[in-house]
Amino acid sequence: MLPGRHTPLPPTWLCRIDAHPWPCGEAKLALLAAYADDRPGLLTLLSTLREEAEDQLTQLDGGRTVDATDRFLTWACQAGR
């Protein structure tokens, strides 16, 4: 289960609350707080969600491959440095 109210709305992967691309700023803050002592767990969760999002977004984009690595993982790897 994802923390907070800012959760994704598949297959568009926009935030249910503010309609920004998910994870939005509020979702990132909630995820960092929830996984403050478990960075590997956060990265595992985000990797799984990234794969799901890429599959769905690729289908929505007529089969053009979507790379959501920056959107889902880069920020989490850089947070707290």
Side-chain angles (χ1 to χ4, degrees), residues 1 7 9 11 15-16 28 30 34 37 46 50 52 58-59 61-62 64-65 68 72 74-75 78 80-81:
M1 175 172 260
T7 57
L9 182 61
C15 175
R16 292 177 191 272
K28 289 176 182 178
D37 296 325
L46 291 172
R50 177 190 56 86
E52 184 179 339
T58 295
Q59 290 176 12
D61 200 17
R64 185 176 67 92
T65 302
F72 280 79
T74 302
W75 68 268
Q78 295 173 345
R81 282 189 180 182

Side-chain angles (χ1 to χ4, degrees), residues 50-71:
R50 177 190 56 86
E51 289 177 19
E52 184 179 339
E54 284 179 345
D55 289 344
Q56 292 176 1
L57 293 169
T58 295
Q59 290 176 12
L60 288 177
D61 200 17
R64 185 176 67 92
T65 302
V66 173
D67 182 354
T69 301
D70 283 343
R71 181 171 163 182

Side-chain angles (χ1 to χ4, degrees), residues 18-44:
D18 59 30
H20 290 122
W22 194 90
C24 65
E26 292 294 325
K28 289 176 182 178
L29 291 174
L31 286 161
L32 288 172
Y35 287 87
D37 296 325
D38 186 12
R39 185 60 57 98
L42 174 60
L43 294 175
T44 299

